[in-house]
Amino acid sequence: MANIKSQKKRIRTNEIARVRNKAIRSELKTVIKHVKAAVEAGDKAAAQAAATTAYRKLDKAVAKGVIHKNQAANRKSGVQKLVNSL
């Protein structure tokens, strides 16, 4: 355990950020699964709606610094390819 006051605070803030980032990453996986499920069901309207939600979540994750902007762009591209396959 750290002895320095600022380091103790850093440990606390890192833990808060870790939990937040984990929740956001999990949510990203969930919305992408929704897109995949809609594509497998053959429902183009639901797939497009789920893709729009996924785009918003990915952009918000980038804004919060959870994932890199290029990673978000790659994931958005993959989602769009899935939707276009219908």
Side-chain angles (χ1 to χ4, degrees):
M1 183 66 188
N3 292 324
I4 300 166
K5 188 176 180 182
S6 62
Q7 190 58 35
K8 288 179 183 178
K9 180 179 179 180
R10 207 57 227 151
I11 290 168
R12 286 195 311 269
T13 57
N14 285 343
E15 179 62 17
I16 292 167
R18 185 188 69 81
V19 171
R20 184 199 67 184
N21 292 345
K22 185 177 177 184
I24 292 170
R25 282 195 191 101
S26 175
E27 195 174 13
L28 291 177
K29 290 176 189 175
T30 303
V31 294
I32 291 173
K33 280 182 190 174
H34 290 168
V35 174
K36 289 179 181 177
V39 169
E40 288 175 7
D43 190 354
K44 186 160 182 135
Q48 191 60 50
T52 304
T53 304
Y55 297 154
R56 280 183 54 83
K57 299 280 185 188
L58 286 163
D59 288 337
K60 285 189 175 194
V62 170
K64 292 178 180 178
V66 177
I67 61 173
H68 193 271
K69 64 179 183 176
N70 291 351
Q71 175 71 358
N74 288 337
R75 290 187 190 193
K76 283 161 61 172
S77 172
V79 165
Q80 191 59 51
K81 282 182 182 177
L82 282 173
V83 174
N84 289 344
S85 69
L86 287 176

